[in-house]
Amino acid sequence: MREETRKFDTELAVIGSGIAGCAASIFALNRQIDCAQVGNTGAVAYTTGYLDLLGAIEESSAAVAKPWEGLAQLKNLHPDHPLSRIPVTDIRKGFDQFATFLGECGITYTAPRESNITALTPAGTLKKTLCVPATMAAGPEAFADKTPCVIIDFKGLKGFSAREVVANLQDQWPTLLAARIIFPDMDKGEIYPEVMARALEVPATRTRLAELLREAAGEVKVIGLPAVLGMHRPDHVRAELEQLTGLTIFEIPTMPPSVPGIRLREMFEQVFPEKGITLIPQQKVTALSFDTDGALLCLSDNYGPITIQAKAVILATGRFLSGGLEAHITGISESLLDLPVSQPPSRTDWYRDGYTDRRGHPIHKAGIDIDTSYRPLGKNGKPYNEHLFAAGIILAHQDWIRGRSGAGIAIATAYKAVEAAEKFLLAQHA
Amino acid sequence: MSDTIRPAINFKEKALELLPEGASFESCLTCGLCSSGCPASGIENMDPRKFIRMAMLGMDKELSTTPWVWCCTLCKRCQHVCPMNIDISQLVFFARSNWPQEEKPSGIVRSCQLIRSTDSTSAMGLPPEDFVFVVQDVLEEVRVTQPAFKNLQAPMDKKGAFFFVNQNSREPMNEPDEMVPLWKIFDLVGADWTYSSKGWAAENFCMFSGDEEAWYEVIKKRVEAVKALGCKVWLNTECGHSYYTMWNALHRFGMEADFKLESLITYYARWIREGKLPVNSKWNRHNITFTVQDPCMIVRKAYGESIAEDMRFVVKSLVGEENFIDMQPNRSANYCCGGGGGFLQAGMTEHRRTYGKRKFDQIATTGAAYVLTPCHNCHSQMEDIGHFYGGNYGVVHFWTLICLSLGILGENERTYLGPDLLALID
Ligand SMILES: Cc1cc2nc3c(=O)[nH]c(=O)nc-3n(C[C@H](O)[C@H](O)[C@H](O)COP(=O)(O)OP(=O)(O)OC[C@H]3O[C@@H](n4cnc5c(N)ncnc54)[C@H](O)[C@@H]3O)c2cc1C
Ligand code: SF4
Ligand code: SF4
């Protein structure tokens, strides 16, 4: 049977559906740039839901309490770090627009503040982050005030243990207790946060759970639950459970596969097409080529081949996990265009001898180089193509895991890449 | 049934052969997103991640015998949510094919045998002459009892017609009046269409039974039937897997077909846009609410977003945008209802309803009074789980609502309407 290629035309094509890709689409929407986005889930699906800007600087063992001030320090010590190259006002704009968009689409976030929030991890340790989902916000507050609180977990749920959380926090939060209950209708076998979250979208399940929660809370007025409070209307689900129980309720992230990431992903997949973005989810671009008018992206979905013709492209394909970079015996390469990758001279230099070396490992700073207009550099050190821009953790000279700056790098560089792409598109139209 | 000896498949080897580079089981991150998003997880103590892990560990005997392969509906949701794009359903299909015929769920095997027993390719074994008779009989009755349709046509074996229209056997066999709304729609838009006495049926359980040869034979018969009449478009009516089994087979078996495969939904949307089907939502005076079920077989597994959009356009035109509530998640991320993959025919009722609980919750969350779906399996399953879990929603075909909106729904064509909808018909 003959296969017809479906063709799309767009101003801006975004390759990648991680935080950088999705942020780029949001910024393009805000600037009214016609946009198409392609990409697999990527690391978004595994996120805790916290949006980190800067939680650590290599040279220091202390966590960064004031991230905006920390950025100035980062700039002094690491001028080539992507965040060092962006004016703080632009990083703020990026975060504001991103968090606002999420809120408007039903997943409210706390607004970025001057200080980092000390947030709870699935294991009951603490980490610094800039913004947390509204469903989680009462947790750090209760921790700061050491309010009496019960952490509740569920029989059959792996990847979250109330006793572990309490054991890890007990020294700092003596009034913390643990309890275990059985989720309504889920008394057998392994249960998943995703399934519980969807069940809690049903009003009848909320009513039944509320009763169990009240019982487990006893005299205590604040409770912490694994992140299962609804999938599509988490704010609503939490508010209603609070009303039914008369308690203050907060969520704590769980280990993947966790709900906050699925929430974000499904929200983007729902909202982007409604807002006019051509979204081709769960597919990878297999070839990217350029001519004088722009770029041609080739891919296929279950139905058959697709091409996207775009005047500008943002490459936000992430690193190894997402497939933006590939590691070979001979070195590290960029997957789509074979762009030069800034990397340690040889494979033996990828890791330092000590696994826990505070300076981190050189391989975690590998990535592509860009010029001031966010265009990746080609082998000759000049921009690879005037139609091509890049954003996200594929960029070199940053170790986002150690810096606790994953979302920050993704959002801020996406903001700048879209700004640069818009400038280019406007000049083309003129 | 699991202790019979059968040739154990080397699943790891098979996976390397079947799955494209980059999506092999070796790239699995064991993140569990597939299992977390699969309604069959936990049934028979199995889930997709576990299936992969066991394949990688060489636990071939266990995988060759687990009845779970009949509870996975081959819906490909696991692949949709997998960051590495790993498709587990291909291995499940392969495992099914390895079961001795006599041990496969007899309902599925029997349906496939019946399909092959006549030129109709009907899973209910309705022979061509009976189909021709039923169509003629119903047509004559409509012409007599509904004066506005005294010239209604239901062409049979009309050479050179533009559309070759298929039909799920359930209609001619059990509820023949359900064919009439469709004929009225064709009449109204002036479609050049025909039924065929051969290869007219929509079902294809041979694919689900894991019998590739039988699957191929059925499709071959259908392709020949379309060719014999020289139709331009094979129009798949309101059935999900009939589309997928045909479309997928043409690729899979490299078959020649000089006609196009299209879905009726696409045409509903086109005819409404072109003004040929002047539906509106004014009839919905009491703001009765509707949701829509995306059949995996035509949305996630085939057309993707475009048909999902068309479906929503049609529903909103029919019931009013304000009365439409989407299920979450939806479109390509939607859950399989649990009626697919032959599950409805497999006789594993308890497991099927466990699977369907997720769908029931989705529907319950919308609070909608009705679910619209262009798929017979979805239709039956959603009715069943609705009754079982105590839901109070109805399930309706698109054709019913289109004719209702146009004020041309005959008295015998209202089986699926509840009292609230019946009350709106003057
Ligand atoms: C387990 C885990 C937990 C995390 N938790 C947090 C957290 O709590 N807070 C935080 O701030 N950050 C967190 N992060 C990091 C955060 O998710 C990253 O900062 C962010 O994902 C980086 O964004 P990115 O979009 O640049 O890359 P990625 O998220 O890696 O996305 C890259 C995208 O590109 C796509 N892609 C690759 N190749 C192609 C191609 N050829 N065609 C089309 N698409 C392609 C991939 O499918 C993917 O969608 C976490 C990351 C992980 C892995
Ligand atoms: S979702 Fe994909 S990568 Fe994750 S466990 Fe399942 S198959 Fe493996
Ligand atoms: S195909 Fe569907 S039912 Fe089968 S394992 Fe994947 S998600 Fe589960």
Side-chain angles (χ1 to χ4, degrees), chain A residues 40 46 194 198 270 282 302, chain B residues 36 80 83 300 330 335:
Chain A
N40 254 11
Y46 304 133
E194 177 176 353
R198 296 201 198 277
Q270 181 77 39
Q282 292 312 101
N302 282 342
Chain B
S36 152
H80 182 77
R300 175 169 52 250
N330 54 50
Y335 284 114

Side-chain angles (χ1 to χ4, degrees), chain B residues 101-113 345-347:
Chain B
Q101 194 74 353
E102 60 283 4
E103 285 184 29
K104 291 176 179 174
S106 58
I108 304 182
V109 173
R110 174 97 186 113
S111 295
C112 175
Q113 282 166 348
Q345 289 71 26

Side-chain angles (χ1 to χ4, degrees), chain B residues 35-55:
Chain B
S35 300
S36 152
C38 163
S41 282
I43 299 177
E44 294 287 348
N45 196 22
M46 184 62 80
D47 60 69
R49 172 173 54 180
K50 194 166 171 185
F51 199 90
I52 294 180
R53 302 277 303 146
M54 288 170 71

Side-chain angles (χ1 to χ4, degrees), chain A residues 150-163 178-193 196-197 200 205-206 208-214 216 223-229 241 249-252 254:
Chain A
V150 185
I151 306 292
I152 298 173
D153 67 10
F154 296 90
K155 181 174 166 250
L157 173 67
K158 293 184 181 162
F160 184 85
S161 154
R163 284 175 63 180
R180 171 163 295 183
I181 60 176
I182 294 174
F183 194 88
D185 291 332
M186 296 190 197
D187 47 355
K188 285 194 286 273
E190 181 177 356
I191 59 174
Y192 296 89
M196 300 159 78
L200 282 175
T205 317
R206 291 200 286 271
R208 291 170 63 195
L209 182 69
E211 219 166 283
L212 301 171
L213 294 177
R214 256 200 319 263
I223 59 170
L225 297 174
V228 297
L229 301 182
L241 275 176
I249 303 178
F250 63 87
E251 291 185 320
I252 302 171
T254 62

